[in-house]
Amino acid sequence: AVPLAPRPQATFADLSADEVQTIGAEQAVVRAAHHHRRAGVPAGQQHRGRADDGARHGDALLLAAAQVAGERLHAVAQAHLLQRGSGDRDSRRFLEDLEMMGVDYGLSVSDYHTSMVATVPTGHLLPTLEIFSDLIQRPWLPESQLEETRLVCCQEIRGIEDDLAHKAISAVRLKHYGHPFGQSGSGTLEGVAAIDLEDVRSFCRRHYRPKGMILAVAGNFDWASLVDEVGLLFGGMQAQ
């Protein structure tokens, strides 16, 4: 268990960059361990078998530690665009490569981080990290997909309108924390319509960088191999 120290709500909006990174590291470890337990992997157990037999190797959780409060809509738009192509993979190959390995992955945006988490079958942890490294370092962010991204964001906003419980929680959060930390991550229809691709690309350049990026892995994996692979995949990233 990783103890999470309570933080006064009154100073929530005044966190320093170091405090943000500490929170992210705590969340990364907790979430990786949670997904690992949910996958049902006993500690230290060796797995042998096919990718689809339910045996899990570990969970790779990659967090781009960015203070996105006030720019959260750009982060949400980028999260959608990231999956439209990166490196030498278009959106179809991106999904096919993960599915062929039996990887269960998710991508989400919070006030502080864009999170990529994957439950990975035996033997596929390092190839999954390679795909994630492309998302972080070589996203296409294609202009041709921007309008479709807007439509997806609008659908999410309209879906919330039909969810009274979600609307109530969002209203309480905004009342308690104020703007920008209490705002809805989905934004507004007006905000979505105003999304500019260059703003999204600028967000990527400013926030997807080595400083503050967190990698947490839980499960049965080889530490030395993981360290070597992370160095190869992310060692060339330039600090900004």
Side-chain angles (χ1 to χ4, degrees), residues 86-232:
S86 61
D88 60 356
R89 296 178 179 84
D90 58 16
S91 58
R92 180 173 180 177
R93 186 182 166 195
F94 168 74
L95 293 174
E96 287 178 346
D97 284 356
L98 291 176
E99 289 175 357
M100 286 294 292
M101 292 188 293
V103 174
D104 180 16
Y105 89 101
L107 197 156
S108 63
V109 175
S110 70
D111 284 327
Y112 295 113
H113 304 96
T114 297
S115 309
M116 302 170 196
V117 60
T119 304
V120 186
T122 301
H124 294 297
L125 176 61
L126 301 187
T128 301
L129 281 177
E130 188 269 328
I131 294 176
F132 278 10
S133 74
D134 277 343
L135 289 180
I136 290 289
Q137 300 178 80
R138 291 171 287 278
W140 292 3
L141 304 178
E143 186 172 7
S144 61
Q145 298 293 321
L146 181 59
E147 186 58 34
E148 184 176 344
T149 296
R150 287 196 185 104
L151 292 175
V152 172
C153 291
C154 287
Q155 289 174 355
E156 292 178 355
I157 293 172
R158 293 190 176 102
I160 293 174
E161 290 298 313
D162 297 327
D163 188 341
L164 296 182
H166 192 289
K167 287 182 66 176
I169 293 173
S170 296
V172 170
R173 176 182 172 87
L174 181 60
K175 179 71 174 178
H176 184 71
Y177 292 113
H179 181 84
F181 291 92
Q183 67 186 8
S184 169
S186 300
T188 64
L189 294 176
E190 294 76 15
V192 170
I195 292 175
D196 180 82
L197 185 61
E198 184 51 41
D199 289 338
V200 176
R201 289 173 173 168
S202 173
F203 177 90
C204 180
R205 290 191 296 268
R206 287 182 288 110
H207 294 296
Y208 279 43
R209 60 190 187 220
K211 181 177 174 57
M213 187 172 291
I214 302 163
L215 172 67
V217 181
N220 181 30
F221 61 92
D222 182 75
W223 172 253
S225 297
L226 176 64
V227 170
D228 290 342
E229 188 70 8
V230 169
L232 288 173

